[in-house]
Amino acid sequence: EITGEIRAARVQDDLRRWQDYRGGNHPILLRVYAQPTDMFPVRMPKRFYDGVRDLGWWIVRDIYFGANYSAANAITLGRAKVDAVLNEVAAVGGFDRIFAWELGNEFRADTEAEIAALTSFVCAMATHLKARLAEPGRERFSNWVTWGSWTPNDPLRSDGNPVLPSCLDYVSYNVYSYDPERLRDHQPGPITGRPFAGYLAALKARYPNLPVVISETGLPDNATPKGLNQTKLHPWYPAYRR
Protein backbone atom coordinates (compact mmCIF):
# COMPACT_ATOMS: atom_id res chain seq x y z
CA GLU A 1 0.00 0.00 0.00
CA ILE A 2 1.37 3.40 -1.02
CA THR A 3 0.71 5.89 1.75
CA GLY A 4 3.01 8.82 0.90
CA GLU A 5 2.06 12.25 -0.34
CA ILE A 6 0.69 12.57 -3.85
CA ARG A 7 2.75 15.35 -5.37
CA ALA A 8 0.98 18.37 -6.85
CA ALA A 9 3.29 18.18 -9.88
CA ARG A 10 2.16 14.61 -10.54
CA VAL A 11 -1.50 15.64 -10.38
CA GLN A 12 -0.88 18.60 -12.66
CA ASP A 13 0.93 16.43 -15.22
CA ASP A 14 -1.85 13.85 -15.21
CA LEU A 15 -4.45 16.56 -15.78
CA ARG A 16 -2.35 17.95 -18.63
CA ARG A 17 -2.14 14.59 -20.40
CA TRP A 18 -5.83 13.89 -19.89
CA GLN A 19 -6.72 16.99 -21.90
CA ASP A 20 -6.29 14.84 -25.02
CA TYR A 21 -9.27 12.71 -23.95
CA ARG A 22 -11.78 15.40 -23.05
CA GLY A 23 -14.92 15.98 -25.07
CA GLY A 24 -16.95 13.45 -26.98
CA ASN A 25 -20.24 11.81 -26.10
CA HIS A 26 -19.07 9.22 -23.60
CA PRO A 27 -18.57 10.08 -19.92
CA ILE A 28 -15.21 9.17 -18.46
CA LEU A 29 -14.85 7.81 -14.95
CA LEU A 30 -11.62 7.88 -12.98
CA ARG A 31 -11.35 5.24 -10.28
CA VAL A 32 -9.38 6.75 -7.41
CA TYR A 33 -7.60 4.30 -5.09
CA ALA A 34 -5.41 6.47 -2.83
CA GLN A 35 -6.65 6.46 0.77
CA PRO A 36 -6.40 9.22 3.39
CA THR A 37 -3.90 8.60 6.17
CA ASP A 38 -3.28 10.20 9.55
CA MET A 39 -0.37 12.12 8.03
CA PHE A 40 -2.23 13.00 4.82
CA PRO A 41 -5.97 13.27 5.63
CA VAL A 42 -6.55 14.95 2.26
CA ARG A 43 -4.84 12.45 0.04
CA MET A 44 -6.24 13.62 -3.29
CA PRO A 45 -5.76 17.41 -3.34
CA LYS A 46 -8.33 20.01 -4.30
CA ARG A 47 -6.48 20.60 -7.55
CA PHE A 48 -7.29 17.06 -8.63
CA TYR A 49 -11.04 17.39 -8.03
CA ASP A 50 -11.08 20.84 -9.65
CA GLY A 51 -9.20 19.47 -12.67
CA VAL A 52 -11.64 16.58 -13.08
CA ARG A 53 -14.49 19.10 -12.93
CA ASP A 54 -12.83 21.18 -15.65
CA LEU A 55 -12.57 18.07 -17.83
CA GLY A 56 -16.24 17.27 -17.31
CA TRP A 57 -15.33 13.83 -15.95
CA TRP A 58 -16.49 11.85 -12.93
CA ILE A 59 -14.84 9.95 -10.10
CA VAL A 60 -15.49 6.52 -8.60
CA ARG A 61 -13.96 6.99 -5.15
CA ASP A 62 -12.59 3.84 -3.56
CA ILE A 63 -12.83 3.20 0.16
CA TYR A 64 -10.43 0.47 1.29
CA PHE A 65 -10.63 -1.65 4.41
CA GLY A 66 -8.44 -4.02 6.35
CA ALA A 67 -8.38 -7.70 5.50
CA ASN A 68 -10.21 -9.00 8.58
CA TYR A 69 -13.87 -8.29 7.87
CA SER A 70 -15.04 -10.71 10.59
CA ALA A 71 -13.11 -9.18 13.51
CA ALA A 72 -15.11 -7.95 16.48
CA ASN A 73 -14.23 -4.32 15.73
CA ALA A 74 -14.37 -4.57 11.92
CA ILE A 75 -17.57 -2.53 11.61
CA THR A 76 -16.24 0.27 13.83
CA LEU A 77 -12.93 0.42 11.98
CA GLY A 78 -14.70 0.24 8.64
CA ARG A 79 -16.97 3.15 9.45
CA ALA A 80 -13.91 5.20 10.37
CA LYS A 81 -12.45 4.45 6.91
CA VAL A 82 -15.67 5.61 5.28
CA ASP A 83 -15.66 8.79 7.35
CA ALA A 84 -12.04 9.54 6.44
CA VAL A 85 -12.76 9.44 2.71
CA LEU A 86 -15.92 11.52 3.13
CA ASN A 87 -13.94 14.08 5.14
CA GLU A 88 -11.40 14.35 2.34
CA VAL A 89 -14.04 14.90 -0.33
CA ALA A 90 -15.82 17.45 1.87
CA ALA A 91 -12.58 19.34 2.56
CA VAL A 92 -11.90 19.86 -1.16
CA GLY A 93 -15.51 20.47 -2.20
CA GLY A 94 -15.50 17.44 -4.44
CA PHE A 95 -18.89 15.79 -3.82
CA ASP A 96 -20.27 17.07 -7.12
CA ARG A 97 -17.67 15.01 -9.03
CA ILE A 98 -18.44 11.69 -7.35
CA PHE A 99 -20.29 9.24 -9.59
CA ALA A 100 -20.20 6.42 -7.05
CA TRP A 101 -18.35 5.01 -4.04
CA GLU A 102 -16.56 1.70 -4.46
CA LEU A 103 -15.97 -0.45 -1.38
CA GLY A 104 -12.52 -1.91 -1.91
CA ASN A 105 -10.48 -5.02 -1.12
CA GLU A 106 -10.60 -8.34 -2.92
CA PHE A 107 -11.82 -10.22 0.12
CA ARG A 108 -11.88 -14.01 0.03
CA ALA A 109 -14.61 -16.00 1.72
CA ASP A 110 -14.64 -19.80 1.55
CA THR A 111 -17.00 -21.10 4.23
CA GLU A 112 -20.68 -20.30 4.75
CA ALA A 113 -19.79 -18.37 7.91
CA GLU A 114 -17.16 -16.30 6.06
CA ILE A 115 -19.58 -15.58 3.23
CA ALA A 116 -22.24 -14.42 5.69
CA ALA A 117 -19.72 -12.25 7.57
CA LEU A 118 -18.39 -10.65 4.39
CA THR A 119 -21.88 -9.97 3.05
CA SER A 120 -22.86 -8.40 6.36
CA PHE A 121 -19.71 -6.24 6.41
CA VAL A 122 -20.16 -4.93 2.87
CA CYS A 123 -23.79 -4.02 3.55
CA ALA A 124 -22.92 -2.39 6.88
CA MET A 125 -20.42 -0.16 5.07
CA ALA A 126 -22.97 0.66 2.36
CA THR A 127 -25.59 1.53 4.98
CA HIS A 128 -23.20 3.80 6.89
CA LEU A 129 -22.08 5.53 3.71
CA LYS A 130 -25.63 6.21 2.59
CA ALA A 131 -26.54 7.52 6.03
CA ARG A 132 -23.63 9.98 5.97
CA LEU A 133 -24.64 11.15 2.50
CA ALA A 134 -28.19 11.77 3.72
CA GLU A 135 -26.95 14.42 6.14
CA PRO A 136 -28.13 18.02 5.53
CA GLY A 137 -26.40 19.60 2.56
CA ARG A 138 -25.38 16.29 0.97
CA GLU A 139 -28.74 15.03 -0.26
CA ARG A 140 -28.17 16.08 -3.88
CA PHE A 141 -24.88 14.23 -4.23
CA SER A 142 -24.40 10.64 -5.36
CA ASN A 143 -24.89 7.94 -2.75
CA TRP A 144 -24.46 5.07 -5.21
CA VAL A 145 -22.43 2.24 -3.73
CA THR A 146 -20.70 -0.67 -5.41
CA TRP A 147 -18.13 -3.22 -4.29
CA GLY A 148 -14.86 -4.02 -6.08
CA SER A 149 -15.38 -7.76 -5.88
CA TRP A 150 -12.75 -10.34 -6.63
CA THR A 151 -13.65 -12.71 -9.47
CA PRO A 152 -13.77 -15.84 -7.23
CA ASN A 153 -16.76 -14.23 -5.47
CA ASP A 154 -18.85 -14.19 -8.65
CA PRO A 155 -22.09 -16.18 -9.05
CA LEU A 156 -20.50 -18.35 -11.76
CA ARG A 157 -18.17 -19.97 -9.20
CA SER A 158 -15.21 -19.19 -11.42
CA ASP A 159 -12.69 -20.01 -8.74
CA GLY A 160 -14.42 -20.02 -5.38
CA ASN A 161 -17.74 -19.33 -3.69
CA PRO A 162 -20.25 -16.59 -4.57
CA VAL A 163 -20.60 -13.57 -2.31
CA LEU A 164 -23.60 -11.55 -3.47
CA PRO A 165 -24.53 -8.57 -1.26
CA SER A 166 -28.02 -7.30 -2.03
CA CYS A 167 -27.29 -3.74 -0.88
CA LEU A 168 -25.40 -2.46 -3.97
CA ASP A 169 -26.61 0.01 -6.58
CA TYR A 170 -24.56 -1.69 -9.25
CA VAL A 171 -22.20 -4.67 -9.36
CA SER A 172 -18.45 -4.44 -9.97
CA TYR A 173 -15.93 -7.20 -10.58
CA ASN A 174 -12.16 -7.09 -10.91
CA VAL A 175 -11.72 -9.64 -13.68
CA TYR A 176 -8.85 -10.40 -16.00
CA SER A 177 -9.04 -12.47 -19.19
CA TYR A 178 -6.22 -14.76 -17.99
CA ASP A 179 -7.01 -15.15 -14.29
CA PRO A 180 -8.69 -17.15 -12.91
CA GLU A 181 -7.74 -19.51 -15.70
CA ARG A 182 -11.12 -21.20 -15.59
CA LEU A 183 -12.56 -18.12 -17.29
CA ARG A 184 -11.35 -19.80 -20.49
CA ASP A 185 -13.89 -22.59 -19.93
CA HIS A 186 -16.75 -20.35 -21.04
CA GLN A 187 -18.37 -20.64 -24.43
CA PRO A 188 -17.45 -18.10 -27.12
CA GLY A 189 -18.90 -14.68 -26.51
CA PRO A 190 -21.46 -12.94 -28.74
CA ILE A 191 -19.19 -10.04 -29.71
CA THR A 192 -15.63 -11.33 -30.05
CA GLY A 193 -16.25 -15.05 -30.18
CA ARG A 194 -13.78 -15.53 -27.31
CA PRO A 195 -14.30 -17.18 -23.90
CA PHE A 196 -13.68 -13.93 -22.02
CA ALA A 197 -16.61 -12.35 -23.85
CA GLY A 198 -18.60 -15.49 -23.06
CA TYR A 199 -17.76 -15.05 -19.39
CA LEU A 200 -18.92 -11.43 -19.42
CA ALA A 201 -22.18 -12.38 -21.11
CA ALA A 202 -22.80 -15.15 -18.60
CA LEU A 203 -21.98 -12.83 -15.69
CA LYS A 204 -24.38 -10.14 -16.92
CA ALA A 205 -27.12 -12.74 -17.34
CA ARG A 206 -26.92 -13.43 -13.59
CA TYR A 207 -27.75 -9.77 -12.89
CA PRO A 208 -30.73 -8.98 -15.13
CA ASN A 209 -31.81 -5.99 -13.02
CA LEU A 210 -28.46 -4.40 -12.12
CA PRO A 211 -25.73 -2.75 -14.18
CA VAL A 212 -22.49 -4.76 -14.21
CA VAL A 213 -19.15 -2.94 -14.36
CA ILE A 214 -15.72 -4.50 -14.92
CA SER A 215 -13.78 -2.35 -12.48
CA GLU A 216 -10.34 -3.84 -13.14
CA THR A 217 -8.93 -5.62 -16.17
CA GLY A 218 -5.67 -5.77 -18.07
CA LEU A 219 -2.87 -7.92 -19.44
CA PRO A 220 -0.21 -9.78 -17.43
CA ASP A 221 3.33 -8.58 -16.90
CA ASN A 222 4.37 -11.94 -15.47
CA ALA A 223 6.56 -14.41 -17.34
CA THR A 224 5.32 -17.35 -15.25
CA PRO A 225 3.79 -19.89 -17.64
CA LYS A 226 1.13 -21.17 -15.25
CA GLY A 227 -1.31 -19.57 -12.90
CA LEU A 228 -1.84 -20.32 -9.24
CA ASN A 229 -4.84 -22.63 -9.42
CA GLN A 230 -3.70 -25.54 -11.58
CA THR A 231 -5.31 -28.09 -9.27
CA LYS A 232 -8.74 -26.72 -10.23
CA LEU A 233 -8.15 -27.45 -13.94
CA HIS A 234 -8.68 -30.61 -15.94
CA PRO A 235 -5.52 -32.68 -16.53
CA TRP A 236 -5.76 -32.03 -20.27
CA TYR A 237 -6.22 -28.29 -19.83
CA PRO A 238 -3.70 -26.22 -21.85
CA ALA A 239 -1.11 -24.34 -19.80
CA TYR A 240 -1.48 -20.87 -21.28
CA ARG A 241 1.32 -18.43 -20.59
CA ARG A 242 0.11 -15.66 -18.34
Side-chain angles (χ1 to χ4, degrees):
E1 182 182 4
I2 300 173
T3 57
E5 183 178 13
I6 297 177
R7 294 176 292 108
R10 167 67 182 274
V11 171
Q12 192 64 38
D13 191 53
D14 284 343
L15 293 169
R16 176 189 61 78
R17 291 184 290 109
W18 290 338
Q19 291 289 333
D20 292 341
Y21 300 96
R22 73 183 306 173
N25 298 321
H26 300 289
I28 291 181
L29 297 178
L30 298 176
R31 186 178 173 195
V32 178
Y33 294 84
Q35 298 296 292
T37 66
D38 291 340
M39 184 173 293
F40 302 107
V42 178
R43 197 71 191 293
M44 299 304 296
K46 185 175 186 299
R47 181 69 190 92
F48 171 76
Y49 288 90
D50 290 346
V52 172
R53 185 180 299 107
D54 291 342
L55 290 168
W57 294 1
W58 299 88
I59 294 168
V60 176
R61 188 66 174 96
D62 271 67
I63 305 174
Y64 266 61
F65 306 95
N68 192 354
Y69 54 81
S70 61
N73 61 345
I75 300 296
T76 299
L77 294 177
R79 287 172 177 165
K81 294 282 189 180
V82 171
D83 292 344
V85 173
L86 289 174
N87 290 342
E88 174 197 277
V89 178
V92 299
F95 279 112
D96 66 310
R97 286 298 91 199
I98 302 297
F99 175 83
W101 310 85
E102 183 149 329
L103 307 179
N105 279 48
E106 296 178 320
F107 294 116
R108 180 153 199 145
D110 294 313
T111 67
E112 290 187 9
E114 289 173 343
I115 292 170
L118 178 52
T119 300
S120 177
F121 176 80
V122 170
C123 287
M125 295 303 100
T127 298
H128 179 67
L129 181 57
K130 286 178 178 290
R132 292 298 316 277
L133 289 165
E135 294 173 359
R138 296 180 176 178
E139 306 95 327
R140 65 188 179 94
F141 300 122
S142 174
N143 69 347
W144 290 358
V145 179
T146 189
W147 169 39
S149 178
W150 195 25
T151 309
N153 296 321
D154 71 16
L156 304 177
R157 297 181 180 270
S158 294
D159 200 24
N161 299 299
V163 182
L164 311 172
S166 60
C167 53
L168 304 175
D169 296 294
Y170 66 93
V171 181
S172 297
Y173 283 98
N174 300 337
V175 53
Y176 295 79
S177 60
Y178 60 91
D179 187 44
E181 295 193 30
R182 286 177 60 194
L183 262 60
R184 300 193 188 94
D185 287 338
H186 286 274
Q187 63 185 1
I191 305 295
T192 65
R194 299 301 180 97
F196 185 51
Y199 168 82
L200 297 180
L203 182 63
K204 181 65 185 84
R206 297 298 183 96
Y207 294 103
N209 300 316
L210 282 178
V212 176
V213 171
I214 303 305
S215 47
E216 286 185 19
T217 190
L219 297 173
D221 61 358
N222 188 339
T224 302
K226 296 182 179 181
L228 302 176
N229 301 310
Q230 297 299 305
T231 59
K232 293 179 178 289
L233 305 178
H234 298 298
W236 59 85
Y237 205 82
Y240 291 98
R241 180 170 290 277
R242 305 173 80 232

XYZ file of all heavy atoms in Angstrom, residues 1-6 33-44 61 80-81 84-85 87-88:
199
model
N 0.847 -1.189 0.000
C 0.000 0.000 0.000
C 0.886 1.243 0.000
O 1.786 1.377 0.825
C -0.912 0.004 1.225
C -1.840 1.199 1.241
C -2.705 1.199 2.491
O -2.504 0.317 3.346
O -3.561 2.085 2.605
N 0.619 2.151 -0.923
C 1.369 3.395 -1.019
C 0.660 4.446 -0.172
O -0.511 4.748 -0.406
C 1.472 3.864 -2.482
C 2.181 2.782 -3.315
C 2.216 5.182 -2.571
C 2.181 3.065 -4.787
N 1.359 4.978 0.804
C 0.713 5.889 1.747
C 1.352 7.275 1.770
O 0.969 8.112 2.571
C 0.768 5.303 3.169
O 2.144 5.059 3.521
C -0.007 4.004 3.252
N 2.326 7.531 0.895
C 3.008 8.817 0.900
C 2.173 9.914 0.257
O 1.052 9.703 -0.212
N 2.743 11.092 0.233
C 2.059 12.247 -0.338
C 1.978 12.119 -1.857
O 2.912 11.668 -2.520
C 2.811 13.522 0.025
C 2.149 14.792 -0.470
C 2.898 16.030 -0.051
O 4.056 15.896 0.419
O 2.349 17.140 -0.190
N 0.856 12.510 -2.403
C 0.691 12.565 -3.854
C 1.081 13.968 -4.294
O 0.426 14.955 -3.944
C -0.750 12.225 -4.256
C -1.057 10.783 -3.844
C -0.956 12.414 -5.753
C -2.463 10.346 -4.124
N -7.938 5.276 -6.124
C -7.601 4.304 -5.089
C -7.033 4.935 -3.817
O -7.270 4.444 -2.725
C -6.551 3.322 -5.608
C -6.996 2.409 -6.716
C -6.977 2.822 -8.041
C -7.424 1.115 -6.440
C -7.375 1.980 -9.058
C -7.819 0.269 -7.462
C -7.794 0.715 -8.772
O -8.190 -0.117 -9.776
N -6.217 5.967 -3.956
C -5.415 6.466 -2.832
C -6.286 6.795 -1.624
O -7.300 7.486 -1.740
C -4.639 7.702 -3.266
N -5.873 6.298 -0.447
C -6.651 6.459 0.773
C -6.056 7.523 1.699
O -4.831 7.660 1.797
C -6.709 5.133 1.527
C -7.381 4.025 0.744
C -8.840 4.316 0.478
O -9.663 4.331 1.385
N -9.182 4.559 -0.786
N -6.911 8.283 2.391
C -6.404 9.221 3.391
C -5.640 8.480 4.489
O -5.928 7.317 4.798
C -7.676 9.865 3.949
C -8.735 9.612 2.929
C -8.381 8.321 2.281
N -4.663 9.150 5.054
C -3.905 8.604 6.174
C -3.885 9.643 7.296
O -4.300 10.790 7.104
C -2.468 8.264 5.766
O -1.780 9.496 5.436
C -2.429 7.334 4.567
N -3.391 9.245 8.452
C -3.285 10.200 9.553
C -2.375 11.361 9.178
O -2.637 12.517 9.526
C -2.749 9.502 10.802
C -3.749 8.513 11.388
O -4.947 8.631 11.081
O -3.309 7.611 12.145
N -1.312 11.072 8.428
C -0.373 12.122 8.025
C -0.922 12.957 6.873
O -0.674 14.164 6.782
C 0.964 11.499 7.636
C 2.050 12.522 7.296
S 3.670 11.754 7.040
C 4.016 11.156 8.699
N -1.685 12.307 5.994
C -2.230 13.001 4.824
C -3.742 12.779 4.764
O -4.237 11.962 3.987
C -1.574 12.495 3.539
C -0.084 12.643 3.512
C 0.740 11.538 3.643
C 0.509 13.894 3.385
C 2.114 11.663 3.623
C 1.880 14.038 3.366
C 2.698 12.920 3.493
N -4.513 13.484 5.603
C -5.965 13.272 5.633
C -6.664 13.695 4.348
O -7.764 13.216 4.071
C -6.419 14.119 6.825
C -5.346 15.135 7.004
C -4.074 14.477 6.613
N -6.051 14.599 3.585
C -6.553 14.945 2.260
C -5.568 14.390 1.257
O -4.607 15.033 0.862
C -6.724 16.470 2.083
C -7.202 16.799 0.668
C -7.713 17.010 3.106
N -5.796 13.161 0.882
C -4.836 12.448 0.040
C -4.886 12.929 -1.404
O -3.877 13.131 -2.040
C -5.156 10.959 0.117
C -4.048 10.076 -0.358
C -2.881 10.071 0.635
N -1.748 9.434 0.019
C -1.702 8.143 -0.294
N -2.725 7.354 -0.004
N -0.640 7.649 -0.885
N -6.087 13.082 -1.942
C -6.237 13.619 -3.288
C -6.540 15.110 -3.158
O -7.578 15.491 -2.636
C -7.360 12.901 -4.037
C -7.109 11.413 -4.217
S -5.530 11.040 -5.060
C -5.800 11.771 -6.665
N -14.896 6.850 -6.280
C -13.962 6.992 -5.152
C -13.919 5.713 -4.339
O -14.908 5.292 -3.737
C -14.384 8.174 -4.265
C -13.354 8.523 -3.184
C -12.090 9.041 -3.833
N -11.108 9.525 -2.875
C -10.100 8.797 -2.410
N -9.968 7.532 -2.760
N -9.217 9.329 -1.588
N -14.928 4.148 10.289
C -13.908 5.197 10.368
C -13.236 5.410 9.009
O -12.910 6.548 8.637
C -12.869 4.835 11.423
N -13.029 4.327 8.252
C -12.455 4.449 6.908
C -13.396 5.210 5.988
O -12.970 6.068 5.205
C -12.186 3.055 6.335
C -11.120 2.261 7.051
C -9.738 2.715 6.664
C -8.674 1.776 7.218
N -7.307 2.209 6.852
N -13.269 8.884 6.866
C -12.035 9.544 6.442
C -12.103 9.961 4.976
O -11.678 11.068 4.607
C -10.842 8.619 6.682
N -12.638 9.093 4.133
C -12.757 9.439 2.709
C -13.791 10.550 2.525
O -13.573 11.505 1.756
C -13.115 8.201 1.883
C -13.414 8.592 0.435
C -11.970 7.194 1.918
N -14.554 12.842 4.640
C -13.944 14.078 5.141
C -13.013 14.686 4.104
O -12.957 15.911 3.955
C -13.184 13.806 6.437
C -14.107 13.500 7.605
O -15.301 13.806 7.561
N -13.570 12.894 8.645
N -12.280 13.832 3.406
C -11.405 14.350 2.341
C -12.210 15.042 1.255
O -11.907 16.178 0.855
C -10.598 13.223 1.715
C -9.778 13.680 0.505
C -9.298 12.533 -0.367
O -8.264 11.939 -0.022
O -9.955 12.240 -1.395
